[in-house]
Amino acid sequence: MSIESYPPPVNQLLTYGNCAEMDFDNWPDYLELGIAPTDIPNLIRMATDNELYRDDEDTLESWAPIHAWRALGQLRAEAGIEPLMGLFEKEESNYWEWIAEELPLVYSMIGQAAIPALAAYLADTSQAIFPRTTALNCLEDIAIDHPEAHPECVAILTHQLESFAENGSELNSFLIGSLVDLKAVESAPLIERVFAADTVDRFLVGDWDDVQVGLGLKSLEELPKKEFNQSFQRKGVSDPGFTGSSISQEAKGFRPGKSDPKAKSKKKMSKESRKKNQKKRK
């Protein structure tokens, strides 16, 4: 279906602008364009329209899917829960950083109604690691922004980690990182078992000592002195001293910009993991 098929007011998003040149921390109020709940079907269609996913960032239409999923978030559009998950699989596209950065925010705006579908996606072993990790990050953001959902999300992540022997070290590492971010002290005994089984990538998430510090079970002063990977400083994703960013300040094109330190740390973990997988494929 051609882009001319989008009716007003949704068609305004086709020429709304380059997202890389806008304020990443403060999305526009798309509802001011006249977009309303009745536009949700067309917004879903735009957000998932493969014709709009292009490599040329100079084409304004190529930014329309991003504007559309942001509008769906602002509308708390529960109808978008399942369709937007199809975007998780675009890991090899130029949009993957936008998807990894922004869809967790969108799902958090939609709220707790998204939890069952995200939990099912995370548990789906037919999906690749990075799409499942995106679902994981969506659940984490919901837990952070909706405290009443925190216990449910922690339980889902912990349940998935119980399959550590089948998960693979990368997924285990991302699960542990999120549980640390959520201060899930109740999951500590299981996390210790994962480390004891050596089914975790310590390059991505640090070691058991790092995790105990992140959970508040130990202080830095209690740990033995050791050498840390300089590119990660402390490797635990919740460490407040982590300042490495996977995106340069000058980055343009299909790359999101500013984000909080934890988000930067998670993206760096993801990029390192992707590099390792790319080497395996060669």
Side-chain angles (χ1 to χ4, degrees):
M1 193 175 293
S2 69
I3 62 175
E4 288 77 16
S5 67
Y6 289 100
V10 173
N11 63 349
Q12 296 174 79
L13 301 182
L14 294 168
T15 56
Y16 196 71
N18 183 328
C19 296
E21 296 175 352
M22 297 180 179
D23 187 341
F24 296 99
D25 295 330
N26 297 289
W27 295 351
D29 184 352
Y30 295 97
L31 307 192
E32 290 183 349
L33 299 175
I35 291 174
T38 53
D39 297 306
I40 287 174
N42 279 314
L43 288 169
I44 292 172
R45 182 161 66 90
M46 181 177 286
T48 58
D49 188 344
N50 285 327
E51 289 187 24
L52 296 173
Y53 283 84
R54 305 171 182 174
D55 292 336
D56 183 7
E57 65 267 19
D58 293 327
T59 304
L60 289 180
E61 290 91 343
S62 63
W63 299 98
I66 298 173
H67 294 303
W69 74 49
R70 290 175 174 182
L72 288 167
Q74 291 177 355
L75 287 168
R76 314 292 194 261
E78 294 183 12
I81 292 171
E82 294 281 355
L84 291 179
M85 287 186 192
L87 301 180
F88 294 175
E89 300 171 20
K90 290 187 177 293
E91 61 171 301
E92 300 300 331
S93 77
N94 287 332
Y95 290 81
W96 82 268
E97 288 190 75
W98 287 95
I99 290 167
E101 174 92 5
E102 294 203 355
L103 285 188
L105 302 176
V106 170
Y107 277 98
S108 182
M109 294 168 79
I110 293 172
Q112 291 174 259
I115 292 176
L118 290 167
Y121 196 104
L122 174 62
D124 185 355
T125 56
S126 71
Q127 300 293 347
I129 176 68
F130 295 106
R132 294 174 77 188
T133 300
T134 303
L136 163 62
N137 291 336
C138 292
L139 288 165
E140 180 183 338
D141 274 23
I142 291 173
I144 291 171
D145 295 335
H146 303 270
E148 66 279 10
H150 185 278
E152 181 180 5
C153 292
V154 167
I156 290 167
L157 271 54
T158 303
H159 178 70
Q160 185 62 50
L161 188 60
E162 288 172 354
S163 300
F164 61 84
E166 294 79 33
N167 287 337
S169 61
E170 288 172 309
L171 182 57
N172 287 337
S173 299
F174 287 116
L175 285 164
I176 290 170
S178 288
L179 288 168
V180 171
D181 285 346
L182 294 174
K183 301 299 181 185
V185 176
E186 62 270 36
S187 302
L190 173 60
I191 295 173
E192 185 175 16
R193 285 171 52 205
V194 178
F195 276 99
D198 198 25
T199 52
V200 62
D201 190 333
R202 288 170 172 78
F203 181 73
L204 294 178
V205 78
D207 59 23
W208 173 231
D209 283 336
D210 297 319
V211 168
Q212 289 181 90
V213 171
L215 291 173
L217 299 175
K218 281 187 175 182
S219 67
L220 283 173
E221 290 71 25
E222 295 178 78
L223 301 186
K225 292 186 180 297
K226 54 185 176 180
E227 294 295 325
F228 294 103
N229 185 317
Q230 292 301 310
S231 67
F232 278 77
Q233 297 181 22
R234 290 194 60 83
K235 292 173 284 188
V237 297
S238 66
D239 178 56
F242 189 95
T243 57
S245 172
S246 63
I247 301 173
S248 70
Q249 293 298 315
E250 297 79 19
K252 298 293 184 181
F254 290 105
R255 287 172 175 261
K258 296 178 287 184
S259 60
D260 62 73
K262 284 184 181 179
K264 289 180 178 179
S265 176
K266 281 183 175 292
K267 282 204 294 292
K268 183 141 189 171
M269 289 172 62
S270 181
K271 287 177 81 78
E272 294 296 334
S273 183
R274 285 169 64 91
K275 287 178 183 177
K276 290 174 63 178
N277 276 288
Q278 287 167 354
K279 289 178 181 177
K280 290 177 183 176
R281 293 180 189 142
K282 293 179 179 178

